[in-house]
Short mmCIF file of all heavy atoms in Angstrom, two decimals:
data_model
loop_
_atom_site.label_atom_id
_atom_site.label_comp_id
_atom_site.label_asym_id
_atom_site.label_seq_id
_atom_site.Cartn_x
_atom_site.Cartn_y
_atom_site.Cartn_z
N MET A 196 0.80 -1.24 0.01
CA MET A 196 -0.04 0.00 -0.02
C MET A 196 0.89 1.25 -0.02
O MET A 196 0.50 2.22 -0.56
CB MET A 196 -0.89 -0.03 1.22
CG MET A 196 -1.65 1.29 1.38
SD MET A 196 -3.41 0.92 1.60
CE MET A 196 -3.90 2.55 2.03
N GLY A 197 2.00 1.27 0.71
CA GLY A 197 2.87 2.45 0.70
C GLY A 197 3.40 2.86 -0.63
O GLY A 197 3.40 4.06 -0.91
N ARG A 198 3.80 1.87 -1.44
CA ARG A 198 4.29 2.30 -2.82
C ARG A 198 3.21 2.92 -3.62
O ARG A 198 3.35 3.69 -4.44
CB ARG A 198 4.94 1.05 -3.41
CG ARG A 198 6.25 0.58 -2.74
CD ARG A 198 6.89 -0.51 -3.40
NE ARG A 198 7.34 -0.25 -4.73
CZ ARG A 198 8.55 0.22 -4.98
NH1 ARG A 198 9.39 0.55 -4.10
NH2 ARG A 198 8.94 0.32 -6.26
N ARG A 199 1.94 2.33 -3.51
CA ARG A 199 0.88 2.94 -4.28
C ARG A 199 0.58 4.29 -3.95
O ARG A 199 0.22 5.13 -4.78
CB ARG A 199 -0.42 2.01 -4.12
CG ARG A 199 -0.29 0.70 -4.75
CD ARG A 199 -1.52 -0.19 -4.62
NE ARG A 199 -1.31 -1.48 -5.00
CZ ARG A 199 -2.12 -2.26 -5.72
NH1 ARG A 199 -3.27 -1.78 -6.02
NH2 ARG A 199 -1.82 -3.46 -6.06
N LEU A 200 0.68 4.66 -2.65
CA LEU A 200 0.45 5.90 -2.14
C LEU A 200 1.47 6.91 -2.67
O LEU A 200 1.22 8.08 -3.12
CB LEU A 200 0.38 6.04 -0.65
CG LEU A 200 -0.04 7.30 -0.01
CD1 LEU A 200 -1.33 7.74 -0.42
CD2 LEU A 200 0.07 7.24 1.48
N ILE A 201 2.78 6.44 -2.69
CA ILE A 201 3.93 7.19 -3.23
C ILE A 201 3.67 7.49 -4.73
O ILE A 201 3.85 8.55 -5.20
CB ILE A 201 5.20 6.60 -2.96
CG1 ILE A 201 5.50 6.57 -1.41
CG2 ILE A 201 6.32 7.20 -3.69
CD1 ILE A 201 6.69 5.75 -0.97
N ARG A 202 3.22 6.41 -5.41
CA ARG A 202 3.02 6.54 -6.86
C ARG A 202 1.93 7.53 -7.09
O ARG A 202 2.04 8.34 -8.03
CB ARG A 202 2.69 5.18 -7.43
CG ARG A 202 2.42 5.24 -8.91
CD ARG A 202 2.18 3.85 -9.46
NE ARG A 202 2.03 3.83 -10.85
CZ ARG A 202 1.68 2.84 -11.61
NH1 ARG A 202 1.53 1.68 -11.07
NH2 ARG A 202 1.57 2.92 -12.90
N LEU A 203 0.90 7.47 -6.37
CA LEU A 203 -0.25 8.40 -6.54
C LEU A 203 0.20 9.83 -6.26
O LEU A 203 -0.19 10.78 -7.01
CB LEU A 203 -1.41 7.96 -5.68
CG LEU A 203 -2.72 8.95 -5.74
CD1 LEU A 203 -3.31 8.84 -7.21
CD2 LEU A 203 -3.69 8.52 -4.79
N ALA A 204 1.01 10.00 -5.23
CA ALA A 204 1.45 11.32 -4.82
C ALA A 204 2.41 11.82 -5.95
O ALA A 204 2.31 13.08 -6.38
CB ALA A 204 2.22 11.32 -3.53
N LEU A 205 3.28 11.07 -6.49
CA LEU A 205 4.18 11.41 -7.54
C LEU A 205 3.40 11.84 -8.85
O LEU A 205 3.70 12.85 -9.56
CB LEU A 205 5.16 10.37 -7.96
CG LEU A 205 6.27 10.11 -6.96
CD1 LEU A 205 7.18 8.95 -7.39
CD2 LEU A 205 7.25 11.39 -6.81
N GLN A 206 2.32 11.07 -9.10
CA GLN A 206 1.48 11.37 -10.33
C GLN A 206 0.74 12.72 -10.08
O GLN A 206 0.65 13.56 -10.96
CB GLN A 206 0.44 10.31 -10.62
CG GLN A 206 0.96 9.03 -11.10
CD GLN A 206 0.07 7.91 -11.07
OE1 GLN A 206 -0.85 7.91 -10.34
NE2 GLN A 206 0.27 6.98 -12.07
N ALA A 207 0.22 13.02 -8.85
CA ALA A 207 -0.60 14.26 -8.64
C ALA A 207 0.46 15.53 -8.75
O ALA A 207 0.20 16.45 -9.37
CB ALA A 207 -1.17 14.24 -7.35
N ILE A 208 1.51 15.43 -8.03
CA ILE A 208 2.50 16.37 -8.15
C ILE A 208 3.11 16.65 -9.57
O ILE A 208 3.21 17.77 -9.99
CB ILE A 208 3.69 16.27 -7.10
CG1 ILE A 208 3.17 16.14 -5.69
CG2 ILE A 208 4.84 17.20 -7.22
CD1 ILE A 208 4.08 15.68 -4.63
N GLY A 209 3.41 15.61 -10.25
CA GLY A 209 3.94 15.71 -11.58
C GLY A 209 2.90 16.38 -12.49
O GLY A 209 3.37 17.24 -13.23
N ALA A 210 1.66 15.91 -12.47
CA ALA A 210 0.65 16.55 -13.31
C ALA A 210 0.49 18.01 -12.96
O ALA A 210 0.33 18.90 -13.86
CB ALA A 210 -0.63 15.80 -13.09
N ALA A 211 0.44 18.43 -11.67
CA ALA A 211 0.31 19.77 -11.21
C ALA A 211 1.57 20.64 -11.84
O ALA A 211 1.46 21.74 -12.24
CB ALA A 211 0.26 19.90 -9.74
N LEU A 212 2.78 20.04 -11.74
CA LEU A 212 3.98 20.77 -12.22
C LEU A 212 3.81 20.95 -13.72
O LEU A 212 4.27 22.01 -14.24
CB LEU A 212 5.27 20.03 -11.83
CG LEU A 212 5.64 20.13 -10.42
CD1 LEU A 212 6.86 19.15 -10.12
CD2 LEU A 212 5.95 21.47 -10.02
N VAL A 213 3.46 19.91 -14.50
CA VAL A 213 3.34 20.04 -15.92
C VAL A 213 2.32 21.16 -16.30
O VAL A 213 2.60 22.05 -17.12
CB VAL A 213 3.00 18.71 -16.59
CG1 VAL A 213 2.60 18.89 -18.00
CG2 VAL A 213 4.00 17.74 -16.41
N ALA A 214 1.11 21.10 -15.61
CA ALA A 214 0.10 22.04 -15.99
C ALA A 214 0.49 23.51 -15.66
O ALA A 214 0.36 24.38 -16.53
CB ALA A 214 -1.15 21.65 -15.23
N SER A 215 1.15 23.70 -14.55
CA SER A 215 1.53 25.05 -14.16
C SER A 215 2.75 25.51 -14.94
O SER A 215 2.81 26.64 -15.31
CB SER A 215 1.83 25.19 -12.61
OG SER A 215 2.90 24.27 -12.22
N GLY A 216 3.61 24.56 -15.26
CA GLY A 216 4.77 24.90 -16.18
C GLY A 216 4.24 25.36 -17.54
O GLY A 216 4.83 26.30 -18.09
N ILE A 217 3.33 24.71 -18.09
CA ILE A 217 2.84 25.05 -19.46
C ILE A 217 2.23 26.39 -19.28
O ILE A 217 2.39 27.28 -20.21
CB ILE A 217 1.83 24.03 -19.89
CG1 ILE A 217 2.60 22.72 -20.38
CG2 ILE A 217 1.02 24.50 -21.10
CD1 ILE A 217 1.67 21.57 -20.59
N LEU A 218 1.46 26.68 -18.30
CA LEU A 218 0.76 28.02 -18.12
C LEU A 218 1.90 29.10 -18.03
O LEU A 218 1.70 30.16 -18.69
CB LEU A 218 -0.13 27.97 -16.90
CG LEU A 218 -0.68 29.39 -16.60
CD1 LEU A 218 -1.67 29.86 -17.69
CD2 LEU A 218 -1.48 29.33 -15.28
N TRP A 219 2.86 28.84 -17.19
CA TRP A 219 3.97 29.86 -17.05
C TRP A 219 4.70 30.08 -18.35
O TRP A 219 4.92 31.26 -18.65
CB TRP A 219 5.00 29.37 -16.06
CG TRP A 219 4.47 29.35 -14.67
CD1 TRP A 219 3.22 29.74 -14.15
CD2 TRP A 219 5.22 28.78 -13.52
NE1 TRP A 219 3.18 29.47 -12.81
CE2 TRP A 219 4.26 28.88 -12.42
CE3 TRP A 219 6.37 28.29 -13.38
CZ2 TRP A 219 4.62 28.43 -11.14
CZ3 TRP A 219 6.83 27.72 -12.18
CH2 TRP A 219 5.98 27.90 -10.98
N ALA A 220 4.93 29.02 -19.08
CA ALA A 220 5.64 29.20 -20.46
C ALA A 220 4.81 29.93 -21.42
O ALA A 220 5.35 30.86 -22.08
CB ALA A 220 5.94 27.75 -20.98
N LEU A 221 3.52 29.59 -21.54
CA LEU A 221 2.60 30.41 -22.39
C LEU A 221 2.48 31.84 -22.04
O LEU A 221 2.37 32.76 -22.82
CB LEU A 221 1.21 29.70 -22.48
CG LEU A 221 1.34 28.27 -23.19
CD1 LEU A 221 -0.05 27.71 -23.14
CD2 LEU A 221 1.87 28.39 -24.57
N GLN A 222 2.54 32.17 -20.69
CA GLN A 222 2.37 33.46 -20.21
C GLN A 222 3.69 34.20 -20.60
O GLN A 222 3.73 35.34 -21.09
CB GLN A 222 2.17 33.61 -18.67
CG GLN A 222 0.76 33.29 -18.29
CD GLN A 222 0.57 33.24 -16.84
OE1 GLN A 222 1.46 32.93 -16.04
NE2 GLN A 222 -0.66 33.68 -16.36
N GLY A 223 4.78 33.57 -20.33
CA GLY A 223 6.17 34.09 -20.68
C GLY A 223 6.28 34.48 -22.04
O GLY A 223 6.90 35.36 -22.49
N LEU A 224 5.82 33.65 -22.92
CA LEU A 224 5.86 33.82 -24.32
C LEU A 224 4.81 34.92 -24.94
O LEU A 224 4.75 35.25 -26.06
CB LEU A 224 5.68 32.61 -25.16
CG LEU A 224 6.78 31.57 -24.96
CD1 LEU A 224 6.34 30.15 -25.57
CD2 LEU A 224 7.99 31.97 -25.59
N GLY A 225 3.95 35.28 -24.05
CA GLY A 225 2.92 36.34 -24.46
C GLY A 225 1.68 35.66 -25.17
O GLY A 225 0.99 36.37 -25.77
N ILE A 226 1.55 34.42 -25.08
CA ILE A 226 0.41 33.75 -25.74
C ILE A 226 -0.81 33.82 -24.87
O ILE A 226 -1.87 34.08 -25.46
CB ILE A 226 0.78 32.25 -26.03
CG1 ILE A 226 1.93 32.21 -27.11
CG2 ILE A 226 -0.47 31.55 -26.57
CD1 ILE A 226 2.54 30.85 -27.31
N ILE A 227 -0.65 33.64 -23.61
CA ILE A 227 -1.80 33.76 -22.75
C ILE A 227 -1.50 35.08 -21.90
O ILE A 227 -0.44 35.15 -21.15
CB ILE A 227 -1.85 32.53 -21.74
CG1 ILE A 227 -2.31 31.26 -22.48
CG2 ILE A 227 -2.91 32.80 -20.49
CD1 ILE A 227 -2.37 30.06 -21.64
N MET A 228 -2.36 35.97 -22.00
CA MET A 228 -2.21 37.27 -21.28
C MET A 228 -3.17 37.41 -20.15
O MET A 228 -4.04 38.31 -20.12
CB MET A 228 -2.36 38.35 -22.32
CG MET A 228 -1.33 38.35 -23.46
SD MET A 228 0.38 38.50 -22.89
CE MET A 228 0.55 40.24 -22.59
N TRP A 229 -3.12 36.39 -19.31
CA TRP A 229 -4.12 36.34 -18.24
C TRP A 229 -3.32 35.86 -16.99
O TRP A 229 -2.57 34.96 -17.10
CB TRP A 229 -5.22 35.48 -18.51
CG TRP A 229 -6.18 35.22 -17.42
CD1 TRP A 229 -7.16 35.97 -16.96
CD2 TRP A 229 -6.05 34.14 -16.42
NE1 TRP A 229 -7.68 35.35 -15.83
CE2 TRP A 229 -6.95 34.25 -15.49
CE3 TRP A 229 -5.22 32.99 -16.35
CZ2 TRP A 229 -7.22 33.31 -14.44
CZ3 TRP A 229 -5.45 32.08 -15.28
CH2 TRP A 229 -6.40 32.32 -14.41
N PRO A 230 -3.59 36.34 -15.87
CA PRO A 230 -4.38 37.57 -15.43
C PRO A 230 -3.54 38.82 -15.90
O PRO A 230 -2.35 38.79 -15.97
CB PRO A 230 -4.53 37.41 -13.96
CG PRO A 230 -3.36 36.57 -13.42
CD PRO A 230 -3.10 35.64 -14.61
N GLU A 231 -4.34 39.79 -15.98
CA GLU A 231 -3.73 41.03 -16.62
C GLU A 231 -2.62 41.70 -15.76
O GLU A 231 -1.74 42.44 -16.23
CB GLU A 231 -4.81 42.08 -16.89
CG GLU A 231 -5.75 41.68 -17.97
CD GLU A 231 -6.84 42.71 -18.20
OE1 GLU A 231 -6.69 43.90 -17.72
OE2 GLU A 231 -7.75 42.44 -18.90
N ASP A 232 -2.70 41.49 -14.38
CA ASP A 232 -1.72 42.03 -13.49
C ASP A 232 -0.58 41.14 -13.20
O ASP A 232 0.22 41.40 -12.33
CB ASP A 232 -2.37 42.50 -12.25
CG ASP A 232 -3.07 41.42 -11.52
OD1 ASP A 232 -3.27 40.29 -12.06
OD2 ASP A 232 -3.35 41.54 -10.32
N SER A 233 -0.34 40.07 -13.94
CA SER A 233 0.68 39.01 -13.64
C SER A 233 2.00 39.65 -13.99
O SER A 233 2.14 40.27 -15.05
CB SER A 233 0.39 37.81 -14.47
OG SER A 233 1.47 36.83 -14.28
N ILE A 234 3.02 39.26 -13.26
CA ILE A 234 4.34 39.70 -13.61
C ILE A 234 5.06 38.91 -14.60
O ILE A 234 6.05 39.15 -15.10
CB ILE A 234 5.29 39.77 -12.29
CG1 ILE A 234 5.42 38.36 -11.77
CG2 ILE A 234 4.70 40.72 -11.28
CD1 ILE A 234 6.49 38.24 -10.68
N MET A 235 4.43 37.74 -15.02
CA MET A 235 4.95 36.78 -15.89
C MET A 235 4.74 37.11 -17.46
O MET A 235 5.28 36.57 -18.26
CB MET A 235 4.47 35.41 -15.68
CG MET A 235 4.70 34.88 -14.24
SD MET A 235 4.06 33.24 -14.20
CE MET A 235 3.65 33.17 -12.43
N LEU A 236 3.85 38.02 -17.67
CA LEU A 236 3.34 38.21 -19.03
C LEU A 236 4.49 38.82 -19.86
O LEU A 236 5.04 39.83 -19.59
CB LEU A 236 2.13 39.20 -19.12
CG LEU A 236 0.84 38.67 -18.21
CD1 LEU A 236 -0.20 39.68 -18.38
CD2 LEU A 236 0.46 37.31 -18.69
N ALA A 237 4.64 38.14 -21.10
CA ALA A 237 5.70 38.48 -22.06
C ALA A 237 7.02 38.75 -21.51
O ALA A 237 7.70 39.61 -21.94
CB ALA A 237 5.15 39.74 -22.77
N ARG A 238 7.36 37.87 -20.57
CA ARG A 238 8.75 37.93 -20.01
C ARG A 238 9.44 36.58 -20.30
O ARG A 238 9.04 35.56 -19.75
CB ARG A 238 8.65 38.21 -18.49
CG ARG A 238 7.89 39.41 -18.21
CD ARG A 238 8.54 40.53 -17.39
NE ARG A 238 9.75 40.32 -16.86
CZ ARG A 238 10.16 40.71 -15.60
NH1 ARG A 238 9.17 41.06 -14.71
NH2 ARG A 238 11.40 40.55 -15.20
N ARG A 239 10.38 36.56 -21.12
CA ARG A 239 11.02 35.31 -21.64
C ARG A 239 11.52 34.46 -20.58
O ARG A 239 11.56 33.21 -20.66
CB ARG A 239 12.14 35.74 -22.63
CG ARG A 239 11.64 36.39 -23.86
CD ARG A 239 10.89 35.43 -24.75
NE ARG A 239 10.40 36.16 -25.90
CZ ARG A 239 9.72 35.63 -26.89
NH1 ARG A 239 9.41 34.34 -26.78
NH2 ARG A 239 9.25 36.31 -27.91
N GLU A 240 12.04 34.99 -19.44
CA GLU A 240 12.56 34.17 -18.32
C GLU A 240 11.55 33.17 -17.78
O GLU A 240 11.75 32.14 -17.42
CB GLU A 240 13.31 34.93 -17.21
CG GLU A 240 12.35 35.77 -16.50
CD GLU A 240 12.25 37.24 -17.04
OE1 GLU A 240 12.56 37.45 -18.14
OE2 GLU A 240 11.87 38.19 -16.23
N TRP A 241 10.22 33.66 -17.81
CA TRP A 241 9.13 32.81 -17.30
C TRP A 241 8.83 31.75 -18.27
O TRP A 241 8.36 30.63 -17.92
CB TRP A 241 7.89 33.72 -16.97
CG TRP A 241 8.09 34.36 -15.77
CD1 TRP A 241 8.45 35.61 -15.50
CD2 TRP A 241 7.96 33.76 -14.37
NE1 TRP A 241 8.60 35.93 -14.16
CE2 TRP A 241 8.32 34.77 -13.43
CE3 TRP A 241 7.80 32.53 -13.91
CZ2 TRP A 241 8.42 34.47 -12.05
CZ3 TRP A 241 7.78 32.25 -12.56
CH2 TRP A 241 8.09 33.28 -11.68
N ALA A 242 9.13 31.88 -19.62
CA ALA A 242 8.91 30.82 -20.44
C ALA A 242 9.94 29.69 -20.09
O ALA A 242 9.68 28.48 -20.23
CB ALA A 242 9.11 31.31 -21.91
N LEU A 243 11.16 30.08 -19.78
CA LEU A 243 12.26 29.12 -19.43
C LEU A 243 11.85 28.45 -18.11
O LEU A 243 11.96 27.22 -18.05
CB LEU A 243 13.59 29.82 -19.28
CG LEU A 243 14.64 29.01 -18.79
CD1 LEU A 243 14.99 27.87 -19.77
CD2 LEU A 243 15.97 29.87 -18.65
N TYR A 244 11.40 29.22 -17.17
CA TYR A 244 11.08 28.58 -15.92
C TYR A 244 9.88 27.60 -16.07
O TYR A 244 9.88 26.49 -15.50
CB TYR A 244 10.66 29.63 -14.89
CG TYR A 244 11.59 30.75 -14.54
CD1 TYR A 244 11.28 31.94 -14.11
CD2 TYR A 244 13.01 30.49 -14.65
CE1 TYR A 244 12.19 32.95 -13.79
CE2 TYR A 244 14.00 31.44 -14.29
CZ TYR A 244 13.50 32.69 -13.90
OH TYR A 244 14.51 33.62 -13.61
N GLY A 245 8.99 27.98 -17.00
CA GLY A 245 7.82 27.02 -17.28
C GLY A 245 8.27 25.78 -17.93
O GLY A 245 7.73 24.68 -17.51
N ALA A 246 9.19 25.91 -18.82
CA ALA A 246 9.67 24.70 -19.47
C ALA A 246 10.42 23.78 -18.55
O ALA A 246 10.27 22.58 -18.60
CB ALA A 246 10.56 25.09 -20.67
N ILE A 247 11.19 24.37 -17.71
CA ILE A 247 11.94 23.55 -16.62
C ILE A 247 10.94 22.92 -15.73
O ILE A 247 11.09 21.69 -15.42
CB ILE A 247 13.03 24.44 -15.86
CG1 ILE A 247 14.08 24.87 -16.80
CG2 ILE A 247 13.46 23.74 -14.66
CD1 ILE A 247 14.92 25.95 -16.27
N THR A 248 9.96 23.72 -15.29
CA THR A 248 9.01 23.08 -14.33
C THR A 248 8.17 21.91 -15.04
O THR A 248 7.92 20.94 -14.40
CB THR A 248 7.97 24.25 -13.89
OG1 THR A 248 8.72 25.18 -13.26
CG2 THR A 248 6.91 23.66 -12.94
N SER A 249 7.91 22.15 -16.25
CA SER A 249 7.13 21.14 -17.01
C SER A 249 7.99 19.85 -17.16
O SER A 249 7.42 18.72 -17.06
CB SER A 249 6.67 21.55 -18.43
OG SER A 249 5.56 22.56 -18.25
N ALA A 250 9.23 20.04 -17.39
CA ALA A 250 10.16 18.90 -17.56
C ALA A 250 10.22 18.22 -16.21
O ALA A 250 10.27 16.94 -16.25
CB ALA A 250 11.53 19.34 -18.03
N LEU A 251 10.36 18.82 -15.14
CA LEU A 251 10.51 18.25 -13.87
C LEU A 251 9.20 17.39 -13.53
O LEU A 251 9.20 16.30 -13.06
CB LEU A 251 10.67 19.14 -12.71
CG LEU A 251 12.10 19.79 -12.79
CD1 LEU A 251 12.11 20.91 -11.70
CD2 LEU A 251 13.19 18.85 -12.44
N GLY A 252 8.05 17.95 -13.90
CA GLY A 252 6.81 17.25 -13.73
C GLY A 252 6.72 16.05 -14.57
O GLY A 252 6.28 15.00 -14.12
N ALA A 253 7.23 16.14 -15.81
CA ALA A 253 7.24 15.03 -16.70
C ALA A 253 8.09 13.85 -16.15
O ALA A 253 7.77 12.65 -16.27
CB ALA A 253 7.56 15.35 -18.14
N ALA A 254 9.18 14.28 -15.57
CA ALA A 254 10.14 13.29 -15.10
C ALA A 254 9.44 12.63 -13.81
O ALA A 254 9.67 11.41 -13.74
CB ALA A 254 11.44 14.04 -14.52
N LEU A 255 8.63 13.25 -13.02
CA LEU A 255 8.05 12.63 -11.91
C LEU A 255 6.97 11.64 -12.44
O LEU A 255 6.82 10.60 -11.85
CB LEU A 255 7.36 13.72 -11.00
CG LEU A 255 8.28 14.47 -10.09
CD1 LEU A 255 7.52 15.45 -9.26
CD2 LEU A 255 9.08 13.68 -9.17
N LEU A 256 6.27 12.10 -13.55
CA LEU A 256 5.28 11.23 -14.07
C LEU A 256 5.87 9.88 -14.57
O LEU A 256 5.35 8.77 -14.32
CB LEU A 256 4.40 11.94 -15.12
CG LEU A 256 3.47 12.95 -14.69
CD1 LEU A 256 2.94 13.75 -15.86
CD2 LEU A 256 2.42 12.35 -13.79
N LEU A 257 7.03 10.03 -15.26
CA LEU A 257 7.73 8.89 -15.72
C LEU A 257 8.30 8.01 -14.62
O LEU A 257 8.11 6.75 -14.80
CB LEU A 257 9.00 9.39 -16.51
CG LEU A 257 9.81 8.36 -17.31
CD1 LEU A 257 8.88 7.56 -18.28
CD2 LEU A 257 10.98 8.92 -18.01
N ILE A 258 8.75 8.58 -13.59
CA ILE A 258 9.27 7.76 -12.40
C ILE A 258 7.98 7.05 -11.86
O ILE A 258 8.16 5.87 -11.59
CB ILE A 258 9.87 8.69 -11.40
CG1 ILE A 258 11.23 9.18 -11.88
CG2 ILE A 258 10.08 7.94 -10.12
CD1 ILE A 258 11.81 10.25 -11.08
N ALA A 259 6.82 7.67 -11.71
CA ALA A 259 5.69 7.05 -11.18
C ALA A 259 5.24 5.91 -12.01
O ALA A 259 4.77 4.85 -11.52
CB ALA A 259 4.60 8.15 -11.01
N GLN A 260 5.32 6.11 -13.39
CA GLN A 260 4.87 5.06 -14.30
C GLN A 260 5.67 3.81 -14.17
O GLN A 260 5.31 2.66 -14.34
CB GLN A 260 4.87 5.70 -15.64
CG GLN A 260 4.37 4.64 -16.67
CD GLN A 260 4.38 5.18 -18.09
OE1 GLN A 260 4.95 6.26 -18.32
NE2 GLN A 260 3.94 4.45 -19.04
N ARG A 261 6.97 4.10 -13.94
CA ARG A 261 7.96 2.89 -13.94
C ARG A 261 8.08 2.15 -12.62
O ARG A 261 8.71 1.14 -12.46
CB ARG A 261 9.38 3.41 -14.40
CG ARG A 261 9.22 3.79 -15.79
CD ARG A 261 10.68 4.22 -16.22
NE ARG A 261 10.66 4.56 -17.63
CZ ARG A 261 11.68 4.40 -18.43
NH1 ARG A 261 12.89 4.11 -18.01
NH2 ARG A 261 11.59 4.84 -19.70
N MET A 262 7.32 2.65 -11.60
CA MET A 262 7.41 2.10 -10.34
C MET A 262 6.77 0.73 -10.31
O MET A 262 5.66 0.51 -10.95
CB MET A 262 6.64 2.89 -9.24
CG MET A 262 7.50 4.10 -8.84
SD MET A 262 6.63 5.07 -7.41
CE MET A 262 6.95 4.01 -6.10
N ARG A 263 7.31 -0.26 -9.70
CA ARG A 263 6.78 -1.59 -9.65
C ARG A 263 6.15 -1.87 -8.23
O ARG A 263 6.68 -1.40 -7.25
CB ARG A 263 7.94 -2.64 -9.85
CG ARG A 263 8.73 -2.40 -11.19
CD ARG A 263 8.17 -3.35 -12.23
NE ARG A 263 8.94 -3.23 -13.42
CZ ARG A 263 8.54 -2.91 -14.57
NH1 ARG A 263 7.22 -2.69 -14.76
NH2 ARG A 263 9.32 -2.83 -15.61
N PHE A 264 5.17 -2.70 -8.23
CA PHE A 264 4.59 -3.06 -6.99
C PHE A 264 5.08 -4.40 -6.52
O PHE A 264 5.34 -5.13 -7.08
CB PHE A 264 3.01 -3.09 -7.18
CG PHE A 264 2.40 -1.79 -7.40
CD1 PHE A 264 1.97 -1.50 -8.64
CD2 PHE A 264 2.24 -0.84 -6.41
CE1 PHE A 264 1.39 -0.21 -8.86
CE2 PHE A 264 1.72 0.38 -6.65
CZ PHE A 264 1.22 0.71 -7.90
#
């Protein structure tokens, strides 16, 4: 049961990181201009931070997928 709980946690955290990273990247590239008062809008460094965050989330999802019971 412990490994299943760890796997579920890794999947949830990984999915959240991928989703937020994509949002940050799109805001940084100026594709999503919401919310209007965000400091991330059209700032290239946030596109990089988003890509890194998404990659970390994808790595967690991959680790969770490869876990054996």
Side-chain angles (χ1 to χ4, degrees):
M196 172 130 171
R198 291 180 65 88
R199 289 181 190 220
L200 187 59
I201 292 172
R202 183 178 183 182
L203 182 62
L205 287 176
Q206 289 173 331
I208 293 168
L212 286 173
V213 169
S215 62
I217 290 171
L218 176 63
W219 293 354
L221 293 175
Q222 285 177 327
L224 293 172
I226 296 171
I227 294 179
M228 299 299 282
W229 172 85
E231 292 180 13
D232 60 344
S233 176
I234 63 168
M235 300 182 210
L236 301 179
R238 307 235 357 228
R239 296 289 178 180
E240 64 268 20
W241 283 102
L243 176 62
Y244 301 153
I247 292 169
T248 302
S249 290
L251 289 173
L255 287 180
L256 289 171
L257 183 63
I258 290 168
Q260 181 183 7
R261 292 184 179 205
M262 287 183 74
R263 304 261 186 237
F264 291 105

